[in-house]
Tab-separated table of all heavy atoms in Angstrom:
chain	number	residue	atom	x	y	z
A	1	MET	N	-7.467	-7.484	-75.150
A	1	MET	CA	-7.068	-6.946	-73.845
A	1	MET	C	-8.212	-6.151	-73.226
A	1	MET	O	-8.529	-6.296	-72.037
A	1	MET	CB	-5.833	-6.062	-73.996
A	1	MET	CG	-4.574	-6.788	-74.411
A	1	MET	SD	-3.215	-5.610	-74.695
A	1	MET	CE	-1.979	-6.700	-75.438
A	2	LEU	N	-8.841	-5.317	-74.051
A	2	LEU	CA	-9.971	-4.531	-73.571
A	2	LEU	C	-11.158	-5.424	-73.212
A	2	LEU	O	-11.831	-5.224	-72.189
A	2	LEU	CB	-10.388	-3.511	-74.632
A	2	LEU	CG	-9.363	-2.417	-74.949
A	2	LEU	CD1	-9.834	-1.575	-76.133
A	2	LEU	CD2	-9.113	-1.538	-73.739
A	3	SER	N	-11.413	-6.417	-74.059
A	3	SER	CA	-12.519	-7.339	-73.803
A	3	SER	C	-12.290	-8.118	-72.512
A	3	SER	O	-13.215	-8.314	-71.718
A	3	SER	CB	-12.669	-8.302	-74.982
A	3	SER	OG	-13.599	-9.321	-74.690
A	4	ASN	N	-11.063	-8.561	-72.303
A	4	ASN	CA	-10.747	-9.316	-71.093
A	4	ASN	C	-10.996	-8.488	-69.833
A	4	ASN	O	-11.539	-8.984	-68.834
A	4	ASN	CB	-9.299	-9.782	-71.139
A	4	ASN	CG	-8.862	-10.472	-69.857
A	4	ASN	OD1	-8.163	-9.896	-69.032
A	4	ASN	ND2	-9.286	-11.709	-69.672
A	5	LYS	N	-10.630	-7.216	-69.911
A	5	LYS	CA	-10.756	-6.350	-68.732
A	5	LYS	C	-12.184	-5.888	-68.494
A	5	LYS	O	-12.676	-5.913	-67.358
A	5	LYS	CB	-9.837	-5.146	-68.886
A	5	LYS	CG	-9.852	-4.202	-67.684
A	5	LYS	CD	-8.849	-3.080	-67.846
A	5	LYS	CE	-8.851	-2.163	-66.620
A	5	LYS	NZ	-7.848	-1.068	-66.749
A	6	PHE	N	-12.864	-5.476	-69.555
A	6	PHE	CA	-14.153	-4.825	-69.376
A	6	PHE	C	-15.357	-5.731	-69.652
A	6	PHE	O	-16.477	-5.388	-69.287
A	6	PHE	CB	-14.237	-3.592	-70.278
A	6	PHE	CG	-13.247	-2.523	-69.924
A	6	PHE	CD1	-12.144	-2.287	-70.726
A	6	PHE	CD2	-13.406	-1.766	-68.770
A	6	PHE	CE1	-11.218	-1.305	-70.397
A	6	PHE	CE2	-12.485	-0.781	-68.436
A	6	PHE	CZ	-11.389	-0.546	-69.253
A	7	VAL	N	-15.126	-6.871	-70.303
A	7	VAL	CA	-16.232	-7.775	-70.602
A	7	VAL	C	-16.094	-9.084	-69.814
A	7	VAL	O	-16.989	-9.464	-69.062
A	7	VAL	CB	-16.317	-8.072	-72.116
A	7	VAL	CG1	-17.457	-9.051	-72.415
A	7	VAL	CG2	-16.520	-6.785	-72.902
A	8	GLU	N	-14.960	-9.772	-69.994
A	8	GLU	CA	-14.765	-11.042	-69.285
A	8	GLU	C	-14.736	-10.847	-67.771
A	8	GLU	O	-15.467	-11.518	-67.034
A	8	GLU	CB	-13.462	-11.697	-69.737
A	8	GLU	CG	-13.493	-12.330	-71.104
A	8	GLU	CD	-12.239	-13.139	-71.344
A	8	GLU	OE1	-12.077	-14.180	-70.694
A	8	GLU	OE2	-11.409	-12.718	-72.177
A	9	ASP	N	-13.857	-9.938	-67.307
A	9	ASP	CA	-13.748	-9.735	-65.860
A	9	ASP	C	-15.053	-9.229	-65.264
A	9	ASP	O	-15.447	-9.641	-64.164
A	9	ASP	CB	-12.618	-8.743	-65.555
A	9	ASP	CG	-11.241	-9.340	-65.789
A	9	ASP	OD1	-11.162	-10.567	-66.004
A	9	ASP	OD2	-10.244	-8.589	-65.761
A	10	ALA	N	-15.730	-8.343	-66.001
A	10	ALA	CA	-17.023	-7.848	-65.507
A	10	ALA	C	-18.041	-8.980	-65.437
A	10	ALA	O	-18.825	-9.063	-64.482
A	10	ALA	CB	-17.529	-6.728	-66.418
A	11	GLY	N	-18.044	-9.867	-66.446
A	11	GLY	CA	-18.959	-11.001	-66.429
A	11	GLY	C	-18.669	-11.953	-65.289
A	11	GLY	O	-19.593	-12.430	-64.603
A	12	ASN	N	-17.372	-12.244	-65.064
A	12	ASN	CA	-16.999	-13.121	-63.950
A	12	ASN	C	-17.432	-12.539	-62.620
A	12	ASN	O	-17.974	-13.243	-61.753
A	12	ASN	CB	-15.481	-13.341	-63.946
A	12	ASN	CG	-15.020	-14.274	-65.043
A	12	ASN	OD1	-15.765	-15.150	-65.471
A	12	ASN	ND2	-13.808	-14.085	-65.513
A	13	THR	N	-17.201	-11.236	-62.446
A	13	THR	CA	-17.574	-10.581	-61.192
A	13	THR	C	-19.084	-10.601	-60.979
A	13	THR	O	-19.575	-10.898	-59.880
A	13	THR	CB	-17.072	-9.130	-61.193
A	13	THR	OG1	-15.645	-9.122	-61.330
A	13	THR	CG2	-17.448	-8.424	-59.899
A	14	LEU	N	-19.829	-10.296	-62.042
A	14	LEU	CA	-21.286	-10.306	-61.945
A	14	LEU	C	-21.800	-11.702	-61.626
A	14	LEU	O	-22.705	-11.874	-60.793
A	14	LEU	CB	-21.902	-9.802	-63.252
A	14	LEU	CG	-23.439	-9.787	-63.325
A	14	LEU	CD1	-24.014	-8.895	-62.234
A	14	LEU	CD2	-23.901	-9.324	-64.712
A	15	GLY	N	-21.229	-12.728	-62.278
A	15	GLY	CA	-21.653	-14.095	-62.012
A	15	GLY	C	-21.432	-14.498	-60.569
A	15	GLY	O	-22.298	-15.134	-59.938
A	16	LYS	N	-20.296	-14.111	-60.005
A	16	LYS	CA	-20.006	-14.447	-58.610
A	16	LYS	C	-20.951	-13.716	-57.663
A	16	LYS	O	-21.430	-14.292	-56.672
A	16	LYS	CB	-18.557	-14.095	-58.290
A	16	LYS	CG	-17.537	-14.979	-58.989
A	16	LYS	CD	-16.115	-14.518	-58.689
A	16	LYS	CE	-15.106	-15.384	-59.413
A	16	LYS	NZ	-13.717	-14.944	-59.170
A	17	ARG	N	-21.216	-12.461	-57.975
A	17	ARG	CA	-22.113	-11.696	-57.101
A	17	ARG	C	-23.533	-12.246	-57.140
A	17	ARG	O	-24.193	-12.354	-56.103
A	17	ARG	CB	-22.104	-10.225	-57.523
A	17	ARG	CG	-20.809	-9.489	-57.170
A	17	ARG	CD	-20.848	-8.048	-57.654
A	17	ARG	NE	-19.636	-7.336	-57.269
A	17	ARG	CZ	-19.360	-6.094	-57.642
A	17	ARG	NH1	-20.214	-5.429	-58.415
A	17	ARG	NH2	-18.241	-5.518	-57.255
A	18	LEU	N	-24.000	-12.582	-58.332
A	18	LEU	CA	-25.351	-13.124	-58.446
A	18	LEU	C	-25.458	-14.485	-57.765
A	18	LEU	O	-26.459	-14.776	-57.096
A	18	LEU	CB	-25.746	-13.242	-59.919
A	18	LEU	CG	-25.996	-11.925	-60.658
A	18	LEU	CD1	-26.288	-12.187	-62.133
A	18	LEU	CD2	-27.150	-11.164	-60.017
A	19	ALA	N	-24.427	-15.312	-57.935
A	19	ALA	CA	-24.442	-16.625	-57.287
A	19	ALA	C	-24.474	-16.481	-55.774
A	19	ALA	O	-25.208	-17.193	-55.075
A	19	ALA	CB	-23.222	-17.434	-57.726
A	20	ALA	N	-23.677	-15.530	-55.267
A	20	ALA	CA	-23.656	-15.304	-53.823
A	20	ALA	C	-24.988	-14.736	-53.334
A	20	ALA	O	-25.475	-15.088	-52.254
A	20	ALA	CB	-22.515	-14.358	-53.464
A	21	SER	N	-25.591	-13.876	-54.151
A	21	SER	CA	-26.865	-13.252	-53.755
A	21	SER	C	-28.014	-14.248	-53.796
A	21	SER	O	-28.865	-14.267	-52.894
A	21	SER	CB	-27.157	-12.079	-54.689
A	21	SER	OG	-28.431	-11.532	-54.447
A	22	TRP	N	-28.037	-15.074	-54.828
A	22	TRP	CA	-29.150	-16.011	-54.999
A	22	TRP	C	-29.035	-17.244	-54.107
A	22	TRP	O	-30.030	-17.748	-53.607
A	22	TRP	CB	-29.237	-16.452	-56.454
A	22	TRP	CG	-29.629	-15.355	-57.395
A	22	TRP	CD1	-30.157	-14.138	-57.074
A	22	TRP	CD2	-29.499	-15.363	-58.823
A	22	TRP	NE1	-30.370	-13.382	-58.197
A	22	TRP	CE2	-29.989	-14.102	-59.296
A	22	TRP	CE3	-29.039	-16.285	-59.751
A	22	TRP	CZ2	-30.004	-13.778	-60.649
A	22	TRP	CZ3	-29.060	-15.962	-61.104
A	22	TRP	CH2	-29.538	-14.712	-61.542
A	23	TYR	N	-27.834	-17.740	-53.936
A	23	TYR	CA	-27.672	-19.047	-53.268
A	23	TYR	C	-26.849	-18.977	-51.992
A	23	TYR	O	-26.458	-20.004	-51.451
A	23	TYR	CB	-27.025	-20.039	-54.240
A	23	TYR	CG	-27.801	-20.158	-55.524
A	23	TYR	CD1	-27.236	-19.778	-56.734
A	23	TYR	CD2	-29.109	-20.643	-55.525
A	23	TYR	CE1	-27.957	-19.877	-57.918
A	23	TYR	CE2	-29.833	-20.733	-56.700
A	23	TYR	CZ	-29.253	-20.352	-57.893
A	23	TYR	OH	-29.960	-20.445	-59.058
A	24	GLY	N	-26.549	-17.774	-51.530
A	24	GLY	CA	-25.808	-17.664	-50.284
A	24	GLY	C	-24.319	-17.613	-50.551
A	24	GLY	O	-23.798	-18.287	-51.430
A	25	ARG	N	-23.606	-16.823	-49.780
A	25	ARG	CA	-22.173	-16.656	-49.981
A	25	ARG	C	-21.449	-17.936	-49.584
A	25	ARG	O	-21.544	-18.391	-48.458
A	25	ARG	CB	-21.651	-15.471	-49.155
A	25	ARG	CG	-20.213	-15.084	-49.517
A	25	ARG	CD	-19.855	-13.785	-48.806
A	25	ARG	NE	-20.758	-12.712	-49.184
A	25	ARG	CZ	-20.618	-12.006	-50.306
A	25	ARG	NH1	-19.635	-12.279	-51.146
A	25	ARG	NH2	-21.481	-11.046	-50.593
A	26	ARG	N	-20.701	-18.486	-50.511
A	26	ARG	CA	-19.987	-19.729	-50.258
A	26	ARG	C	-18.686	-19.435	-49.539
A	26	ARG	O	-18.195	-18.314	-49.516
A	26	ARG	CB	-19.695	-20.467	-51.561
A	26	ARG	CG	-19.110	-19.603	-52.610
A	26	ARG	CD	-18.889	-20.358	-53.872
A	26	ARG	NE	-17.701	-21.176	-53.793
A	26	ARG	CZ	-17.189	-21.831	-54.825
A	26	ARG	NH1	-17.777	-21.775	-55.985
A	26	ARG	NH2	-16.112	-22.551	-54.690
């Protein structure tokens, strides 16, 4: 539960932000 909230969700959010920053907001 902790991993899902603080590791998985954080990773998903970071991945989306980096993708939007590097390749333009889809």
